[in-house]
Amino acid sequence: MSLETVKMYFAALGRAQDVREFAVSSATVDLAAQALNVEPARIAKTLSFQNNTDGNCILVVAAGDAKVDNGKFKRHFGLKPKMLTPDEVAQLTGHAVGGVCPFANPAGVKTCLDISLKRFATVFPACGSSSSAIELNCDELYRYAQALEWVDVCKSWQPEYHD
């Protein structure tokens, strides 16, 4: 159901044809990178965290090689980063683990993009299933995800420039 919701979301934006579906799993960064034949860092993984201030969740979309820095997260959001359980993820986002994405989420879900994505011309977030993705540039990702802001909540990485 989640994939269909995301496809309808992109259809309204004239981008439904850009949603890719795979015969193999893309549920992890490595599997998605294999399915797309790209480096794992270009997979835009969506991480789901509890938001104790309103009982909803915060989604942080980060590069596939990025890891959340607990201190940076706490300083930015004012709360300790606590990942949601698989049941909580499905309940709060409508997407199952492996297909969580920043698109077509229920009202109240806060989506932020980590600056680790900005080093790539395009990235590949999931589209609501464990065998789907879409290629977007960072401006498109920000707009289509209805992101609230760019954040810096991941550990530093060695900057590289990619085309």
Side-chain angles (χ1 to χ4, degrees), residues 68-90:
V68 170
D69 179 303
N70 291 342
K72 284 182 172 183
F73 187 99
K74 187 172 184 178
R75 282 189 296 280
H76 186 85
F77 292 109
L79 40 103
K80 181 180 175 182
K82 185 167 192 263
M83 301 271 312
L84 298 177
T85 66
D87 286 343
E88 290 170 329
V89 170

Side-chain angles (χ1 to χ4, degrees), residues 52-154:
N52 297 332
T53 60
D54 66 8
N56 217 313
C57 68
I58 298 169
L59 301 180
V60 174
V61 185
D65 62 348
K67 295 187 184 331
V68 170
D69 179 303
N70 291 342
K72 284 182 172 183
F73 187 99
K74 187 172 184 178
R75 282 189 296 280
H76 186 85
F77 292 109
L79 40 103
K80 181 180 175 182
K82 185 167 192 263
M83 301 271 312
L84 298 177
T85 66
D87 286 343
E88 290 170 329
V89 170
Q91 178 185 8
L92 292 173
T93 69
H95 307 299
V97 171
V100 179
C101 68
F103 315 115
N105 286 298
V109 173
K110 294 174 176 63
T111 302
C112 299
L113 306 183
D114 187 77
I115 62 169
S116 60
L117 296 165
K118 286 189 171 187
R119 61 193 150 134
F120 302 106
T122 61
V123 294
F124 297 88
C127 286
S129 75
S130 60
S131 58
S132 64
I134 189 168
E135 183 175 15
L136 300 171
N137 67 43
C138 287
D139 291 337
E140 292 170 329
L141 177 59
Y142 189 89
R143 188 170 59 252
Y144 298 149
Q146 298 176 2
L148 297 176
E149 61 184 330
W150 283 98
V151 297
D152 180 7
V153 297
C154 289

